[in-house]
Amino acid sequence: MRGRLAGRGLAALPVATAATLLVLCFDLLQRLPGGAAVVEDVGVVRGSQPLALSLLRTPLSLFVPALDLPVWGALVQVLVVFGLAELVLGRGRTLLVAYAGTVAGTLYARLAVDLGPGSPFGLPTADAAVRDVGPSAAVVALAICTAWRVRAWFSGSAVVVLMAVEAAGLPNLAGREHLAAVAVAVLASLVDEVLIGFRPPVAVLVPALPDTGRARQYG
């Protein structure tokens, strides 16, 4: 895998490349005259929408970046995290985890609004009109699943702690959706651990070491 990545570059990571390009295209489109309305109709999810419509838009909503944040940050996150996940988890699981993290955030947003601000897990009714978080929920879920798969406990724990601090310091829709993505990622990793077993793809992350003993024997 390392050799294929070194030889082909981004062509060896079609999922990560396509996801990054989609984020860029949606960002450019929503900044053009009339483009924001198009993005709204095809990829923006809000808690005030009918659930069926939200789920229909969810695959594309994953790639719609926030307007109030620098798009370069989203692009770097998607390219790096999706790329690592594609190498470690495989393309199918990368797409599945990304979608599951996004759907979890979408569903939790509706539940939180229904619970209301009086509940520790609730949100104000006004948050029903706020856009979903876009690619960040998928990035959070993929980062945790990838770290778990290669036993990078410090990195995975750091993501969880950062998301918890964000939710505590900024108790808004984005923070809560990120926590929902964390929960789904942990659950998915546990299921993978129990049902499939753990075989760390060390060859992807650790370069091959020369067999110095054999070299001395035949040298």
Side-chain angles (χ1 to χ4, degrees), residues 6 22 25 40 53 59 70 98-100 104 110 135 137 145 152 155-156 169 192 208:
L22 279 171
C25 288
E40 180 78 30
L53 178 61
Y99 183 71
R110 293 172 171 274
C145 287
S155 299
D192 184 70

PDB file of all heavy atoms in Angstrom, residues 6 22 25 40 53 59 70 98-100 104 110 135 137 145 152 155-156 169 192 208:
ATOM      1  N   ALA A   6       2.944   5.896  -2.851  1.00  0.00           N
ATOM      2  CA  ALA A   6       4.102   6.686  -3.273  1.00  0.00           C
ATOM      3  C   ALA A   6       4.152   6.819  -4.780  1.00  0.00           C
ATOM      4  O   ALA A   6       4.552   7.854  -5.319  1.00  0.00           O
ATOM      5  CB  ALA A   6       5.381   6.028  -2.750  1.00  0.00           C
ATOM      6  N   LEU A  22     -15.298  17.580  -3.700  1.00  0.00           N
ATOM      7  CA  LEU A  22     -16.712  17.916  -3.483  1.00  0.00           C
ATOM      8  C   LEU A  22     -16.856  19.058  -2.478  1.00  0.00           C
ATOM      9  O   LEU A  22     -17.683  19.958  -2.670  1.00  0.00           O
ATOM     10  CB  LEU A  22     -17.472  16.687  -2.989  1.00  0.00           C
ATOM     11  CG  LEU A  22     -17.898  15.682  -4.061  1.00  0.00           C
ATOM     12  CD1 LEU A  22     -18.442  14.411  -3.407  1.00  0.00           C
ATOM     13  CD2 LEU A  22     -18.956  16.303  -4.981  1.00  0.00           C
ATOM     14  N   CYS A  25     -15.915  22.188  -4.335  1.00  0.00           N
ATOM     15  CA  CYS A  25     -16.941  22.578  -5.315  1.00  0.00           C
ATOM     16  C   CYS A  25     -18.153  23.192  -4.631  1.00  0.00           C
ATOM     17  O   CYS A  25     -18.690  24.209  -5.083  1.00  0.00           O
ATOM     18  CB  CYS A  25     -17.356  21.374  -6.148  1.00  0.00           C
ATOM     19  SG  CYS A  25     -16.106  20.832  -7.330  1.00  0.00           S
ATOM     20  N   GLU A  40     -28.450  24.967  -0.980  1.00  0.00           N
ATOM     21  CA  GLU A  40     -29.514  24.815   0.014  1.00  0.00           C
ATOM     22  C   GLU A  40     -30.490  23.724  -0.399  1.00  0.00           C
ATOM     23  O   GLU A  40     -30.926  22.916   0.431  1.00  0.00           O
ATOM     24  CB  GLU A  40     -30.257  26.136   0.178  1.00  0.00           C
ATOM     25  CG  GLU A  40     -31.393  26.116   1.174  1.00  0.00           C
ATOM     26  CD  GLU A  40     -30.926  26.183   2.621  1.00  0.00           C
ATOM     27  OE1 GLU A  40     -29.868  26.795   2.866  1.00  0.00           O
ATOM     28  OE2 GLU A  40     -31.627  25.643   3.492  1.00  0.00           O
ATOM     29  N   LEU A  53     -36.648  14.277   4.053  1.00  0.00           N
ATOM     30  CA  LEU A  53     -35.878  15.203   3.230  1.00  0.00           C
ATOM     31  C   LEU A  53     -34.447  15.323   3.744  1.00  0.00           C
ATOM     32  O   LEU A  53     -33.496  15.345   2.952  1.00  0.00           O
ATOM     33  CB  LEU A  53     -36.555  16.574   3.218  1.00  0.00           C
ATOM     34  CG  LEU A  53     -35.837  17.670   2.428  1.00  0.00           C
ATOM     35  CD1 LEU A  53     -35.709  17.282   0.953  1.00  0.00           C
ATOM     36  CD2 LEU A  53     -36.577  19.001   2.565  1.00  0.00           C
ATOM     37  N   PRO A  59     -26.312  12.407   2.273  1.00  0.00           N
ATOM     38  CA  PRO A  59     -25.048  12.065   1.612  1.00  0.00           C
ATOM     39  C   PRO A  59     -24.300  13.278   1.075  1.00  0.00           C
ATOM     40  O   PRO A  59     -23.076  13.367   1.188  1.00  0.00           O
ATOM     41  CB  PRO A  59     -25.503  11.135   0.477  1.00  0.00           C
ATOM     42  CG  PRO A  59     -26.773  10.531   0.972  1.00  0.00           C
ATOM     43  CD  PRO A  59     -27.446  11.626   1.740  1.00  0.00           C
ATOM     44  N   PRO A  70     -13.056  29.044   7.612  1.00  0.00           N
ATOM     45  CA  PRO A  70     -12.184  28.990   6.431  1.00  0.00           C
ATOM     46  C   PRO A  70     -12.235  27.626   5.769  1.00  0.00           C
ATOM     47  O   PRO A  70     -12.048  26.597   6.427  1.00  0.00           O
ATOM     48  CB  PRO A  70     -10.795  29.297   7.014  1.00  0.00           C
ATOM     49  CG  PRO A  70     -10.894  28.977   8.467  1.00  0.00           C
ATOM     50  CD  PRO A  70     -12.306  29.275   8.862  1.00  0.00           C
ATOM     51  N   ALA A  98     -18.100   7.450   7.601  1.00  0.00           N
ATOM     52  CA  ALA A  98     -18.354   8.871   7.343  1.00  0.00           C
ATOM     53  C   ALA A  98     -19.857   9.152   7.287  1.00  0.00           C
ATOM     54  O   ALA A  98     -20.341  10.131   7.876  1.00  0.00           O
ATOM     55  CB  ALA A  98     -17.694   9.290   6.030  1.00  0.00           C
ATOM     56  N   TYR A  99     -20.583   8.288   6.602  1.00  0.00           N
ATOM     57  CA  TYR A  99     -22.032   8.474   6.492  1.00  0.00           C
ATOM     58  C   TYR A  99     -22.712   8.280   7.848  1.00  0.00           C
ATOM     59  O   TYR A  99     -23.607   9.043   8.223  1.00  0.00           O
ATOM     60  CB  TYR A  99     -22.597   7.499   5.467  1.00  0.00           C
ATOM     61  CG  TYR A  99     -24.074   7.648   5.231  1.00  0.00           C
ATOM     62  CD1 TYR A  99     -24.585   8.752   4.555  1.00  0.00           C
ATOM     63  CD2 TYR A  99     -24.971   6.691   5.692  1.00  0.00           C
ATOM     64  CE1 TYR A  99     -25.945   8.901   4.346  1.00  0.00           C
ATOM     65  CE2 TYR A  99     -26.331   6.826   5.489  1.00  0.00           C
ATOM     66  CZ  TYR A  99     -26.820   7.925   4.811  1.00  0.00           C
ATOM     67  OH  TYR A  99     -28.161   8.072   4.613  1.00  0.00           O
ATOM     68  N   ALA A 100     -22.281   7.250   8.589  1.00  0.00           N
ATOM     69  CA  ALA A 100     -22.889   6.985   9.893  1.00  0.00           C
ATOM     70  C   ALA A 100     -22.663   8.144  10.859  1.00  0.00           C
ATOM     71  O   ALA A 100     -23.565   8.533  11.603  1.00  0.00           O
ATOM     72  CB  ALA A 100     -22.323   5.689  10.482  1.00  0.00           C
ATOM     73  N   ALA A 104     -25.728  10.298  12.363  1.00  0.00           N
ATOM     74  CA  ALA A 104     -25.878  10.368  13.823  1.00  0.00           C
ATOM     75  C   ALA A 104     -26.026  11.807  14.284  1.00  0.00           C
ATOM     76  O   ALA A 104     -26.873  12.117  15.134  1.00  0.00           O
ATOM     77  CB  ALA A 104     -24.674   9.715  14.493  1.00  0.00           C
ATOM     78  N   ARG A 110     -32.088  16.637  15.903  1.00  0.00           N
ATOM     79  CA  ARG A 110     -33.556  16.660  16.027  1.00  0.00           C
ATOM     80  C   ARG A 110     -33.989  16.281  17.441  1.00  0.00           C
ATOM     81  O   ARG A 110     -34.884  16.904  18.018  1.00  0.00           O
ATOM     82  CB  ARG A 110     -34.176  15.686  15.020  1.00  0.00           C
ATOM     83  CG  ARG A 110     -33.968  16.129  13.592  1.00  0.00           C
ATOM     84  CD  ARG A 110     -34.410  15.075  12.599  1.00  0.00           C
ATOM     85  NE  ARG A 110     -34.380  15.656  11.283  1.00  0.00           N
ATOM     86  CZ  ARG A 110     -35.371  16.355  10.741  1.00  0.00           C
ATOM     87  NH1 ARG A 110     -36.488  16.539  11.439  1.00  0.00           N
ATOM     88  NH2 ARG A 110     -35.279  16.874   9.533  1.00  0.00           N
ATOM     89  N   PRO A 135     -18.855  18.380   6.794  1.00  0.00           N
ATOM     90  CA  PRO A 135     -17.883  17.277   6.831  1.00  0.00           C
ATOM     91  C   PRO A 135     -17.263  17.020   8.191  1.00  0.00           C
ATOM     92  O   PRO A 135     -16.651  15.968   8.386  1.00  0.00           O
ATOM     93  CB  PRO A 135     -16.812  17.723   5.825  1.00  0.00           C
ATOM     94  CG  PRO A 135     -16.917  19.210   5.778  1.00  0.00           C
ATOM     95  CD  PRO A 135     -18.369  19.525   5.999  1.00  0.00           C
ATOM     96  N   ALA A 137     -18.390  16.207  11.180  1.00  0.00           N
ATOM     97  CA  ALA A 137     -18.848  15.022  11.918  1.00  0.00           C
ATOM     98  C   ALA A 137     -18.241  13.762  11.325  1.00  0.00           C
ATOM     99  O   ALA A 137     -17.819  12.854  12.058  1.00  0.00           O
ATOM    100  CB  ALA A 137     -20.371  14.947  11.891  1.00  0.00           C
ATOM    101  N   CYS A 145     -12.159   6.046  14.477  1.00  0.00           N
ATOM    102  CA  CYS A 145     -12.123   4.661  13.995  1.00  0.00           C
ATOM    103  C   CYS A 145     -10.742   4.291  13.466  1.00  0.00           C
ATOM    104  O   CYS A 145     -10.259   3.172  13.678  1.00  0.00           O
ATOM    105  CB  CYS A 145     -13.174   4.461  12.903  1.00  0.00           C
ATOM    106  SG  CYS A 145     -14.872   4.406  13.517  1.00  0.00           S
ATOM    107  N   ALA A 152      -3.766   3.607  18.001  1.00  0.00           N
ATOM    108  CA  ALA A 152      -3.199   4.922  18.317  1.00  0.00           C
ATOM    109  C   ALA A 152      -4.065   5.548  19.400  1.00  0.00           C
ATOM    110  O   ALA A 152      -4.834   6.489  19.154  1.00  0.00           O
ATOM    111  CB  ALA A 152      -3.141   5.795  17.072  1.00  0.00           C
ATOM    112  N   SER A 155      -3.897   9.455  20.128  1.00  0.00           N
ATOM    113  CA  SER A 155      -4.544  10.285  19.105  1.00  0.00           C
ATOM    114  C   SER A 155      -6.062  10.178  19.183  1.00  0.00           C
ATOM    115  O   SER A 155      -6.772  11.188  19.118  1.00  0.00           O
ATOM    116  CB  SER A 155      -4.062   9.865  17.710  1.00  0.00           C
ATOM    117  OG  SER A 155      -2.673  10.048  17.580  1.00  0.00           O
ATOM    118  N   GLY A 156      -6.559   8.962  19.330  1.00  0.00           N
ATOM    119  CA  GLY A 156      -8.004   8.788  19.432  1.00  0.00           C
ATOM    120  C   GLY A 156      -8.581   9.456  20.666  1.00  0.00           C
ATOM    121  O   GLY A 156      -9.629  10.109  20.598  1.00  0.00           O
ATOM    122  N   GLY A 169     -17.597  23.859  26.289  1.00  0.00           N
ATOM    123  CA  GLY A 169     -17.314  25.289  26.188  1.00  0.00           C
ATOM    124  C   GLY A 169     -18.248  26.036  25.260  1.00  0.00           C
ATOM    125  O   GLY A 169     -18.560  27.210  25.482  1.00  0.00           O
ATOM    126  N   ASP A 192     -16.543  -3.741  15.247  1.00  0.00           N
ATOM    127  CA  ASP A 192     -15.464  -4.249  14.406  1.00  0.00           C
ATOM    128  C   ASP A 192     -14.510  -5.125  15.204  1.00  0.00           C
ATOM    129  O   ASP A 192     -14.046  -6.165  14.745  1.00  0.00           O
ATOM    130  CB  ASP A 192     -14.704  -3.080  13.785  1.00  0.00           C
ATOM    131  CG  ASP A 192     -13.618  -3.539  12.826  1.00  0.00           C
ATOM    132  OD1 ASP A 192     -13.964  -4.041  11.745  1.00  0.00           O
ATOM    133  OD2 ASP A 192     -12.433  -3.380  13.150  1.00  0.00           O
ATOM    134  N   ALA A 208       9.279  -1.020   5.961  1.00  0.00           N
ATOM    135  CA  ALA A 208       9.916  -2.319   6.130  1.00  0.00           C
ATOM    136  C   ALA A 208      11.350  -2.139   6.601  1.00  0.00           C
ATOM    137  O   ALA A 208      12.078  -1.282   6.106  1.00  0.00           O
ATOM    138  CB  ALA A 208       9.884  -3.076   4.800  1.00  0.00           C
TER     139      ALA A 208
END
